[in-house]
Amino acid sequence: MADSWSAVKEVTPRQPEEATEAILVVEAEDEKANGRIGKGSRIVGTLRFEGSVRIYGEVEGEIIAVDAVIVRRGGRVTGDVRASRVVIEGDATADVRADRVEIGPTGRLLGNVVAPRLVIHEGAIFEGSCGMAEAAHPAEASSPRAVTQTKPASEPLPLAS
C-alpha cells in the first residue's frame, strides 16, 4: 500500500493553491515566524504563539496560536487548542476552537470542535461533537516567540515512533 503522505504538498504563502481532497495546503516552514515542537520532545503546560506552531513531539495542556497549529504525523496533543487554523495529521485528544479545522488522512481527533469550517479527509478519525459557530480568535501572544508555562510531569508518556 502506498504511503498517502506522498500527496501532501507544502507551498509558500506567495503561491496560494486551491486545496483538493488529495492535497493538504500548509505554508512553508519559516523558523523566524513559526514555532516547532520537535520529535522526542514532551511539553506540559500552556503554550502561546504569535505565528504558527508545528508539533512533531508531544504536548499536554493548552495551545494558543494566532495563526496555525499543525500536529504532524507522529505528533500528539492532549488538552485544548485555539488558533485561526488547526491541521491534525497525528493524534489529538483535545477540544479545538478555530476558524478552520482539517483532519488529514492519518489524523485522529478525539474531542469537540467549534469551527465554521471542518474538513475531514478519507481515512481520518474524528470522534466527538462539532459546533459550526464562529470561533473566537485566539488572544494575541505577548511576544514574537513562544511563552511556555510548565509544570513537572508525574511520569513521562510513551512517544510515537
Side-chain angles (χ1 to χ4, degrees), residues 47-58:
L47 286 77
R48 297 180 189 275
F49 296 89
E50 202 168 277
S52 298
V53 61
R54 282 179 171 71
I55 299 169
Y56 296 87
E58 187 171 331

Side-chain angles (χ1 to χ4, degrees), residues 37-39 41 54-59 70-78 88-92 106 108 159-161:
I37 309 298
K39 184 177 179 181
S41 299
R54 282 179 171 71
I55 299 169
Y56 296 87
E58 187 171 331
V59 176
I70 302 163
V71 181
R72 291 296 207 178
R73 189 174 185 184
R76 186 181 314 188
V77 171
T78 304
I88 299 171
E89 301 167 346
D91 293 324
T106 61
R108 182 174 151 255
L159 293 175
S161 340

